[in-house]
Structures are given as structure tokens and as C-alpha cells.
Amino acid sequence: MNPYLLPRFETQYDINDQEFSISGIVRPQSIDELAPSIALLKDSIDRVRGILYVNIRRLTQMNNTAFHAFSRVIIDACRARPDLKFVVITSSVVGWTTRKFGRLSGIEPNITVEEYDSEFYPGQTFLEEGGFIPILRTQTKLTWRHERTILPRHGMQPGIVMADICCGIGDFAVLVQREFEPSRIVALDHARTSLAYARNVAAEFDIKGIEYTYGDASEMLLEDDQFDLVTCRHSLQVFNNPELILKELFRICKPGGRVYITNEKNSHCLGEPRADSIQWTYNEVAKLWAHFQMDIELGPKSRRYLIEAGFEDIRVESFMVTNHDGDPQDFADVIAAWENVYAGEMATKRGDPPAFIRRFRQGFQDHIFAALHPKGYAGWPIWVASGRKPL
Amino acid sequence: MNIASQSVGGEAVFKPMIQIDLEVKAFLSAWLHCDQISTYSARMISHNRSDSVRHSNLFSSAFNELLEVAFRARHSSGEIACRVSRRGETDRIELTFPCMPEERQFYEEAILQIAGSEARERYLNSVSGDLAPSREVVLLELAIDYNATFRLDEAGADTITLVVDLPLEGLPN
Ligand SMILES: C[S@@+](CC[C@H](N)C(=O)[O-])C[C@H]1O[C@@H](n2cnc3c(N)ncnc32)[C@H](O)[C@@H]1O
């Protein structure tokens, strides 16, 4: 079927949220093509009281013809009904929307424009900006030793077009580029600091072919059916709604291509000696994440998530990062960084009492002890899963 | 020779990125050509920008408006050429299309207006006004929202080239 014959935009009114939304690509030749949408907007205006939210977060393109048509209805409504306010919600990802729609508030003070951003997500701020960067580095160094042999079983091969969603500081993309030479890598994240870091690394080491892009994994500007392999590592577990992200990963994957995810089950971190203290602490880590609506226990649930998202030929495997993967100090550094964030910022934010925090910290310390002990063993298990998008 | 390092009189020149030439008739046969040409070109030239996806979205937005202006002029014959070139952070779109003398005058005046001090106000008035956006308003919007700058080049008898520079890399987010 010719995709250009399908309507490429959608408008909706949600009566409960008093929200009118426009999504997709709106480039009509004449406003007649918009008649049903304009009628819906007018009708929505007639029904609301107080505030009408105009959600354009998923609007990727709109020509001036359409912009004028929608704006006029809103401006007219402001003039006819001074009791009514309009809040236009844009996305920080679509560069032009805030600027263009922002002008409306200069015309009518009852129109305000708000940019939706990551602040709206619970929990994640601990992991997003700045502080986590050094841990991600070491973590990727440790996991790569395993993943480089695992990846080919999940669709990785030279020449493919791939995307790494929630790429963080981009180390994984760089390692993949070197080892597997895909023809193109798009690496997306929502943390500008991490992306800046990644771009710097790429420039410094003269790495070509990785496109770092700012975006929101739950609504990406990337087009449908584009990638042979879509990876999303250690990240489904940071969202309160991983289904939404998987839906997007599915959407951008080519039919016949694969989506590859890795996740943890932190309560299964282990070590000897001092196994009990270690286990206690990691059970608490799981609860702490849950408190912030994130699921650090997601690993073994990957299979279910992939099935429910519509994938087929699902492959799941797991591996254990240990203190014997290279330098035990690397392992110990990762644990120290976890302690820092989990028993520091996160526990404090939850309001944990000092006695709890002391015991909580002890488990991490014991894990480090096990890692550095000459006869010790320390492990961090990871679940890898991938599924094929049906043809 | 490496085109990127070409220079004329010591000034770095724009390096060609992509060119699409069409019969006006073929171009006018479907409105969607504006969208298709702008989207395709945007994707092709954006991969090595600092944020390829964002750049592509912005470029497509701006280019599409220019193509729509050319489309609405509805010339019945001749050729339309779209060239995209680059110098550093600036991408240049050159649209060459058939143009009668009075139309040329329109573009000359529009470009003067854009450079004028009331550009922003004119644009805002048009948004709240009754009329569908005119060609002039479309160009104004590109200047205001994308920091586009415009120039008109002679391209032969009854054709003009509209040269639009888009400094998208430098646009604040
Ligand atoms: C635990 S880190 C994993 C990073 C990387 N994949 C790795 O393995 O090192 C989670 C990443 O998800 C990113 N992230 C969080 N919310 C996001 C969103 N809505 N869209 C895109 N990325 C997001 C964060 O910025 C962070 O880089």
C-alpha cells in the first residue's frame, strides 16, 4: 500500500483530560483537508470549561497553512470566551514547535505554551544527568566482555543499520562500531550532558558513523520500520511504563529485524564471603527502585514483555558479570558508585532513617569486600533478550 | 580535488550536497512532492550534523515551506531546480524556478520586508489575521523561527533563484 495515501496525522479529543491532541505530519494543500479536525477542535472548545490542553507532543511536522488554521480557531476562541485558557504542550524534542506555537502567547495572553520534559518522569533524575557517567563507563566495559560474543546470536552483524535507544554516554555504540562495523548507528538519549560527552568522545577519537540524537524514547522522531537491530540496554528498567518504550522500539524496527534489550535483577547480585549481608542489601535495592516506580528486577520479565509487545522468535539468555572479568577493582568501583547513588541520594529522598542507611551501605561494602578478597567471588547477573518483529 | 576545501577569493564556498531537478509539470502533479522532496533531502544531508534527527526535522520543515511557495505559484512550464549546499554550520537552499517580472518584484520586496524592523510584528499580525498565510508570511516565518536569510539571484530570462541560508546548527533548542 502507498503510505502517502494514508492520513498522516491524527486529531483527538479526550473529554476527561480536556485535551485536544494533534499528532503526525500535517501538511495539507488547502484547509479543506483539515475540516474534520477543525470541527473537532471547535467542538472541543464548546465543551470545555476552564482550560483546554492542546497536546502537540507527537506533532512532527505542520505547514503554515495548517498552523494558521488551527491557530485562528484558538485565537478566535480566546476573544469570544475570555473565561477560557489554552495550554499548548509541546515536546522539547521537536525543535520548532515551542518557538512557533510560543508566538501565540504573544498574541493572546490566555494562551500559554509549556514544553514537556523529563522532569515529568518519576525517579529517573537520579540516573540521568552528570553523576552517573563514570559508572556507566565501567559497567559497559564489564558487560562488553560478555555481550560481544552474545550479540551475534541476536541479530548483530556487519553492515546492518542499528539504533541504540537510551544510549547514555555512547560507549556501547562505539564498541559496536569498532567490533561489528554496522553501516549506520543512531544513538538516542534524553540526557543532554551524556550526549555532549558522547559527541566529544567521538570527535576526539575520530569515530565516524554514529549519529547521537536527543530524544524521548517514549515518543521518538525516528520513522517506522528503519532498523535491522534496535538495542536498549539497562533502560527499560528505569521507566515506570516499559511497555510504552517497547512499543516505540517495535515501531522503529524493520519487519524481520530484532529488538535487543538487557536488564538486571538486582536482588540476585551475590558474593562470598558475607553472602547474607549482600543479599539483604540488594533485596532492599529492588524495593528502593520500586518506590520510585522503576523495576530493577525486570530482567527475567523480558520474555513476557517482548511477547506482549508482539515480537516472535524470542531469545533469552543471561550472564554474570563477576570480579574476575578483568580487574576486580573495576567491579568494586561499580558497586561503590551504586552505593553512592542508592544509599545516598535515593535513600535520602525516600526519607530512610540513619540506621537503615548504615545497614544498607554495609551490604555494598561487603560486596566490594568479596570482590577484592583473594578467594572471594562477586557477581552481578544480567538478562539479555531479543525478539523479531514479524514480517 | 576536495570540494570542501575549495575557496574563491579566500572565502570558503558552499559545498554541494544534493540537487533535484524536475519539470514543473511533474512537480505540480502532486502536492505531496513538496513533502517528499523536503523529507528526502533533509534525511540525506543531516546524517553528519551534530543531531541528525533534530536537524532533519527542522530542515524538512523549512524546505517544505519553500517548496510549497513554489508549488502555489503554479507555473505551467519550465523547470524547477532545488540545490542544497553547505558551508560550516549553514545549509543553503537554492530554488530556481520560472518567474515573471512582476513576481520577481514581489520577491524583491518581500526580502526587503524581512530585513525591515517590523518583520516580527507583521508576522504576528498575519497569524491572528483572517487570510491564509501569503508567500510573504511564509518567508517571514522562516526568518523569524529559523533565522533564515534570503537573497535573489538572476538565473536567466524569466527564471529566478531564491537563495536561502539556514543556520540550523546554531538554533537554540
Ligand atoms: C541506566 S542508563 C543506561 C545507559 C546505557 N544504555 C548503558 O547501558 O550504559 C539509562 C539511560 O536512559 C536514559 N533515559 C532516561 N529517560 C529517557 C527517555 N525518556 N528517553 C531517552 N532516554 C532516556 C538516561 O538518560 C540514561 O542514559
Side-chain angles (χ1 to χ4, degrees):
Chain A
M1 197 191 311
N2 180 350
Y4 291 104
L5 296 177
L6 298 170
R8 294 184 309 151
F9 68 93
E10 207 183 324
T11 49
Q12 264 178 356
Y13 177 61
D14 179 332
I15 195 161
N16 293 321
D17 295 337
Q18 300 210 136
E19 182 180 271
F20 179 81
S21 57
I22 314 172
S23 57
I25 300 172
V26 196
R27 287 177 166 175
Q29 181 171 5
S30 101
I31 56 169
D32 300 342
E33 295 163 50
L34 301 176
S37 301
I38 294 288
L40 181 65
L41 175 57
K42 287 184 172 159
D43 187 53
S44 317
I45 291 170
D46 287 341
R47 290 162 184 237
V48 297
R49 287 203 215 148
I51 299 181
L52 179 67
Y53 293 93
V54 180
N55 181 342
I56 53 164
R57 284 169 52 204
R58 284 173 167 271
L59 175 66
T60 53
Q61 293 291 354
M62 177 178 265
N63 67 6
N64 279 307
T65 304
F67 176 72
H68 185 260
F70 284 107
S71 300
R72 267 311 301 269
V73 174
I74 293 173
I75 291 169
D76 286 349
C78 285
R79 293 178 181 169
R81 287 188 49 194
D83 59 304
L84 204 57
K85 291 201 175 355
F86 288 86
V87 176
V88 182
I89 302 174
T90 63
S91 155
S92 58
V93 174
V94 188
W96 55 269
T97 48
T98 307
R99 254 196 315 279
K100 189 158 182 164
F101 280 84
R103 310 236 177 268
L104 296 180
S105 58
I107 297 173
E108 283 296 329
N110 275 355
I111 305 175
T112 50
V113 178
E114 288 175 10
E115 199 166 82
Y116 185 95
D117 210 344
S118 60
E119 292 160 35
F120 291 68
Y121 298 100
Q124 288 180 24
T125 41
F126 305 115
L127 312 173
E128 245 193 32
E129 298 288 339
F132 226 71
I133 285 180
I135 324 187
L136 295 181
R137 247 280 90 150
T138 317
Q139 281 190 181
T140 306
K141 185 166 144 199
L142 292 173
T143 51
W144 180 250
R145 304 168 74 92
H146 301 266
E147 278 181 276
R148 63 187 296 195
T149 59
I150 291 174
L151 279 161
R153 295 198 281 275
H154 297 263
M156 177 67 80
Q157 50 180 315
I160 60 168
V161 178
M162 70 163 276
D164 186 32
I165 306 304
C166 301
C167 65
I169 54 172
D171 280 358
F172 178 73
V174 170
L175 290 165
V176 165
Q177 174 84 330
R178 292 229 171 101
E179 179 95 13
F180 297 102
E181 301 183 343
S183 61
R184 180 177 181 219
I185 304 184
V186 173
L188 177 146
D189 202 277
H190 199 268
R192 294 189 198 273
T193 41
S194 300
L195 289 171
Y197 187 96
R199 288 190 186 115
N200 259 340
V201 171
E204 236 167 67
F205 297 105
D206 196 27
I207 296 159
K208 298 255 158 56
I210 305 177
E211 300 169 31
Y212 291 105
T213 182
Y214 171 73
D216 180 348
S218 65
E219 38 192 34
M220 296 185 281
L221 271 184
L222 301 171
E223 284 152 61
D224 300 357
D225 304 333
Q226 266 202 73
F227 298 99
D228 300 297
L229 182 65
V230 178
T231 58
C232 181
R233 301 172 55 265
H234 298 273
S235 295
L236 284 185
Q237 57 192 32
V238 307
F239 292 96
N240 57 335
N241 202 340
E243 295 90 345
L244 270 182
I245 311 296
L246 262 180
K247 204 172 149 192
E248 279 288 275
L249 304 182
F250 185 91
R251 181 181 68 75
I252 65 171
C253 182
K254 278 186 195 164
R258 297 188 78 86
V259 167
Y260 169 95
I261 58 178
T262 69
N263 290 282
E264 300 165 50
K265 182 173 173 80
N266 240 259
S267 66
H268 282 209
C269 282
L270 50 83
E272 285 292 349
R274 304 189 181 172
D276 292 346
S277 158
I278 294 168
Q279 193 170 16
W280 182 86
T281 284
Y282 284 101
N283 276 323
E284 290 301 324
V285 170
K287 293 183 206 159
L288 180 64
W289 277 56
H291 176 82
F292 292 105
Q293 297 178 53
M294 304 184 288
D295 186 6
I296 193 83
E297 301 287 277
L298 195 144
K301 300 172 194 167
S302 307
R303 182 161 177 269
R304 168 171 70 78
Y305 276 120
L306 287 172
I307 292 172
E308 288 176 1
F311 291 96
E312 57 187 27
D313 183 28
I314 288 157
R315 299 173 193 167
V316 185
E317 52 188 301
S318 60
F319 64 89
M320 180 85 81
V321 174
T322 77
N323 56 334
H324 298 285
D325 293 337
D327 186 350
Q329 190 60 50
D330 282 343
F331 192 96
D333 288 347
V334 169
I335 309 306
W338 290 351
E339 178 187 342
N340 202 7
V341 177
Y342 303 163
E345 220 181 318
M346 282 174 83
T348 311
K349 180 93 184 271
R350 186 171 61 167
D352 292 342
F356 172 87
I357 292 182
R358 222 173 299 124
R359 187 173 174 200
F360 194 35
R361 283 191 183 277
Q362 189 58 47
F364 293 115
Q365 285 302 319
D366 289 338
H367 205 195
I368 292 172
F369 182 79
L372 300 177
H373 193 286
K375 298 181 202 163
Y377 181 85
W380 166 38
I382 294 176
W383 275 261
V384 168
S386 72
R388 185 174 62 209
K389 177 168 170 174
L391 282 172
Chain B
M1 180 168 52
N2 181 359
I3 302 173
S5 60
Q6 262 183 8
S7 65
V8 175
E11 197 186 317
V13 296
F14 280 81
K15 169 191 165 197
M17 303 286 289
I18 197 168
Q19 171 151 1
I20 297 171
D21 295 348
L22 281 167
E23 290 288 328
V24 167
K25 255 202 197 98
F27 177 54
L28 292 182
S29 67
W31 173 252
L32 262 166
H33 288 153
C34 301
D35 173 72
Q36 286 167 330
I37 294 170
S38 61
T39 305
Y40 174 80
S41 319
R43 222 181 284 158
M44 290 301 141
I45 66 148
S46 296
H47 63 93
N48 51 1
R49 281 310 199 185
S50 65
D51 188 326
S52 58
V53 180
R54 171 176 180 272
H55 190 273
S56 170
N57 176 262
L58 289 170
F59 186 87
S60 165
S61 231
F63 194 12
N64 179 65
E65 294 296 342
L66 292 171
L67 290 167
E68 290 190 5
V69 165
F71 192 101
R72 290 186 200 280
R74 293 227 161 262
H75 293 280
S76 50
S77 64
E79 277 212 351
I80 174 165
C82 325
R83 294 180 51 199
V84 182
S85 54
R86 171 171 300 170
R87 187 181 71 192
E89 309 234 304
T90 302
D91 288 301
R92 170 170 287 179
I93 298 171
E94 287 165 83
L95 268 187
T96 304
F97 51 96
C99 183
M100 296 295 119
E102 63 277 11
E103 208 181 338
R104 174 195 302 266
Q105 198 184 341
F106 158 80
Y107 282 109
E108 281 163 358
E109 280 166 16
I111 289 171
L112 284 179
Q113 302 276 12
I114 290 167
S117 54
E118 298 105 52
R120 184 172 298 253
E121 207 181 319
R122 290 173 72 86
Y123 172 67
L124 289 184
N125 284 339
S126 81
V127 173
S128 55
D130 278 331
L131 299 174
S134 63
R135 288 178 298 186
E136 186 207 341
V137 166
V138 169
L139 301 186
L140 264 178
E141 200 258 336
L142 292 181
I144 291 172
D145 282 342
Y146 299 81
N147 292 341
T149 51
F150 297 84
R151 197 182 77 212
L152 220 47
D153 277 357
E154 298 279 338
D158 294 340
T159 57
I160 54 163
T161 299
L162 182 60
V163 183
V164 185
D165 284 349
L166 292 164
L168 300 181
E169 282 285 82
L171 269 196
N173 221 305

